[in-house]
Amino acid sequence: YFKMQGQPLAGKTIHLRVNLSGMAKISEFDFVSEEGEVIKPFAMHVEDASGDDQEFFGEVSLPSQPFRIAVRGTDAQGLRMQRYNSPLFRAQTVSVSAPEGGRELIPGKTRTLTFAVRNGGLPATFRIDVFDSAQFTTRVEPKELTLASGASGTVAVDLSVPAGTRVGSSVTLVLTATQTNSPGRFNSVVEEFTVSPPESTSPRN
């Protein structure tokens, strides 16, 4: 298991891992709203416990509204306690998938990356935004995708690496798909690339 890219998908069952530090006896896990009101509880089980640290794991069905994760229980003194995970998650109907292949960029070369965008909601048009930390992006095509319900489309991104780029430097690329008539419906993917030396050549007989 590994950390999910972007926002989770609405209506899906996911694997959730929660790490807690500090002695506590947890009695309940909840999805809570932006205002802190309980949306619904969910079940988790202890997968590992070492000293004051505990790791919980479970398969959960996500709510459709924005949510945070909250835990309730008692502390080492037997007093009631609760903790909130600060990030606000927004389950989405659009997903973005990273390209296959290695994560190497070669100085003096252009690499074309192909991302997949899938629409799990009603028919919609999505604006494509790309950011890369080195400003290597020279092409994004298309810049908008119109997708039927359940349909997928691809986006091609060209990264052109200048010949003098230092080998070993890293590049972060973020691609975001945003529904044009509903900016709150979006998802993204973050990819890390490394500038690698060109393949060496040797004389041949």
Side-chain angles (χ1 to χ4, degrees):
Y1 299 104
F2 52 90
K3 186 176 181 180
M4 179 183 293
Q5 289 270 23
Q7 294 290 318
L9 296 180
K12 297 291 185 180
T13 297
I14 65 165
H15 296 103
L16 178 64
R17 189 185 303 277
V18 176
N19 296 300
L20 288 174
S21 296
M23 289 297 294
K25 182 178 181 181
I26 303 304
S27 59
E28 187 173 307
F29 288 84
D30 298 308
F31 292 118
V32 297
S33 67
E34 291 184 78
E35 295 76 23
E37 298 177 352
V38 175
I39 300 172
K40 65 176 181 178
F42 58 90
M44 300 281 282
H45 66 266
V46 177
E47 190 166 73
D48 184 45
S50 177
D52 290 348
D53 298 329
Q54 299 176 81
E55 186 176 88
F56 296 82
F57 186 81
E59 292 188 8
V60 299
S61 178
L62 299 178
S64 58
Q65 68 191 86
F67 65 90
R68 289 187 172 95
I69 304 296
V71 297
R72 307 174 193 274
T74 55
D75 63 16
Q77 285 74 46
L79 301 175
R80 288 192 56 79
M81 52 77 68
Q82 63 181 18
R83 294 183 187 176
Y84 290 85
N85 188 44
S86 58
L88 182 70
F89 297 97
R90 300 178 183 273
Q92 300 291 342
T93 55
V94 58
S95 63
V96 182
S97 300
E100 297 180 353
R103 295 296 181 264
E104 296 81 27
L105 301 174
I106 306 299
K109 300 290 185 179
T110 295
R111 179 171 177 182
T112 298
L113 307 169
T114 303
F115 294 82
V117 179
R118 184 181 185 280
N119 177 26
L122 296 174
T125 298
F126 298 90
R127 185 184 74 248
I128 306 300
D129 296 301
V130 174
F131 162 83
D132 82 78
S133 59
Q135 299 183 354
F136 289 164
T137 303
T138 55
R139 180 177 71 104
V140 178
E141 189 176 331
K143 295 185 177 180
E144 284 192 351
L145 272 176
T146 299
L147 299 173
S149 179
S152 298
T154 58
V155 178
V157 177
D158 284 353
L159 294 182
S160 298
V161 185
T165 302
R166 180 174 61 86
V167 170
S169 56
S170 60
V171 181
T172 301
L173 184 145
V174 183
L175 186 143
T176 304
T178 305
Q179 190 168 320
T180 54
N181 63 352
S182 182
R185 296 186 181 278
F186 69 94
N187 222 326
S188 61
V189 65
V190 180
E191 290 295 303
E192 300 285 344
F193 297 88
T194 302
V195 178
S196 302
E199 293 183 1
S200 60
T201 58
S202 57
R204 296 177 181 271
N205 293 328

